[in-house]
Amino acid sequence: MSTKALDAQPKFAQIKQYIIDNIRAGTWHENQRVPSENELAEQFNVSRMTARRALSELTDTGILTRSQGLGTFVASFKSQSSLLEIKNIADEVRLRNGHYSCTVLSLESMAAVAPIAIALGVEVDSQVYRSVLIHNENDTPLQVEERFVNPTLAGDYLQQDFADFTPHEYLSHVAPLTEARHTVEAIMPSNEVCQWLGLFNEEPCLQVIRRTWSAEGIVSFARLISPGSKYRLGGHLTFKKKQP
């Protein structure tokens, strides 16, 4: 980023960009402590509150991690998705200032075999839609998504250009989600999945099986597979105190 463009940014955004640039350049490594609020405030001639905002926003997006009493550190270089809410993977990548892209491997109509029919609540051998996509971050495969979709709730699914937006974005628009259920497990990937993810050495992968509902019924059944070395699941819970 040019100096002129940097100067035009708000101060907290300049601090964020400074931190991101140091991480990308390899100046600051994984788990390395970054400057404190006081140090950043002095360096950028801003208030401590402004420096805190920059650190907090980068922590919220998973780029940094904070440890009370110890400081703020460069987070582990893994993507993080929440178990508590369904996030759009493209948004997650962009929040990390990464470049998101998608490779469409398959987009077709097929006869539903029994497990798929049961998962979608449709008749066996009825037509359902199937897509297989690779989600990339900075042109590196991050996740394989195989999704089966109920055509009665997303009739134009096969006509979409998922290079421009994700299936999650499209389905959220045409059949707003009201419920989701998922299971998470560690698996050893098949040779095909290894090829899709660019895995040259066998390593465990994280597999999420997810079904989603709208007010009209089951919308989709998806299998999401990510390399264990590049992805993790996490979440944050806030509990209300009991009233006396």
Side-chain angles (χ1 to χ4, degrees):
M1 180 176 291
S2 67
T3 304
K4 184 176 181 180
L6 185 62
D7 290 340
Q9 291 183 317
K11 286 289 187 179
F12 79 90
Q14 291 183 33
I15 297 173
K16 287 173 62 176
Q17 192 61 53
Y18 166 76
I19 293 171
I20 290 169
D21 288 346
N22 274 282
I23 294 173
R24 282 183 170 174
T27 306
W28 297 344
H29 303 287
E30 183 176 351
N31 300 320
Q32 181 175 338
R33 184 183 175 278
V34 303
S36 66
E37 293 173 5
N38 287 336
E39 291 168 334
L40 289 170
E42 182 178 353
Q43 179 178 345
F44 285 86
N45 193 27
V46 296
S47 68
R48 183 175 175 182
M49 184 177 299
T50 298
R52 181 181 302 156
R53 177 179 177 182
L55 292 175
S56 295
E57 290 191 5
L58 291 177
T59 300
D60 290 343
T61 56
I63 293 173
L64 301 178
T65 182
R66 309 188 82 168
S67 179
Q68 188 171 2
L70 295 177
T72 305
F73 301 84
V74 178
S76 173
F77 296 153
K78 295 183 180 182
S79 307
Q80 177 164 323
S81 182
S82 175
L83 279 170
L84 307 178
E85 58 182 315
I86 297 179
K87 295 183 178 180
N88 181 32
I89 191 169
D91 292 337
E92 291 188 11
V93 170
R94 291 166 186 145
L95 279 172
R96 295 191 291 270
N97 276 14
H99 169 68
Y100 170 80
S101 62
C102 173
T103 306
V104 179
L105 300 178
S106 180
L107 195 56
E108 62 183 347
S109 178
M110 60 172 284
V113 296
I116 302 303
I118 293 170
L120 289 177
V122 299
E123 295 293 328
V124 174
D125 291 331
S126 63
Q127 291 297 299
V128 298
Y129 297 151
R130 173 180 179 263
S131 58
V132 180
L133 293 76
I134 301 175
H135 300 289
N136 307 297
E137 180 170 3
N138 299 327
D139 299 321
T140 299
L142 178 64
Q143 183 183 86
V144 171
E145 173 189 313
E146 180 180 28
R147 187 182 295 268
F148 300 90
V149 176
N150 187 340
T152 62
L153 300 179
D156 294 331
Y157 188 78
L158 298 183
Q159 281 71 56
Q160 304 309 306
D161 183 357
F162 292 124
D164 289 338
F165 50 87
T166 66
H168 171 75
E169 289 176 292
Y170 168 73
L171 294 173
S172 296
H173 176 70
V174 300
L177 306 183
T178 59
E179 182 181 353
R181 298 176 188 171
H182 49 224
T183 60
V184 182
E185 63 179 333
I187 65 166
M188 292 304 296
S190 65
N191 290 335
E192 185 177 46
V193 170
C194 285
Q195 182 179 359
W196 289 341
L197 291 174
L199 301 178
F200 301 103
N201 297 310
E202 281 194 357
E203 68 169 277
C205 287
L206 187 70
Q207 175 175 272
V208 178
I209 302 294
R210 176 176 290 149
R211 285 202 296 167
T212 56
W213 281 257
S214 72
E216 287 74 32
I218 302 173
V219 179
S220 73
F221 170 68
R223 181 173 66 126
L224 314 171
I225 302 177
S226 308
S229 60
K230 296 181 181 178
Y231 214 79
R232 66 184 176 188
L233 287 167
H236 178 79
L237 292 173
T238 301
F239 298 96
K240 292 183 179 179
K241 293 182 178 180
K242 291 184 177 180
Q243 297 296 325

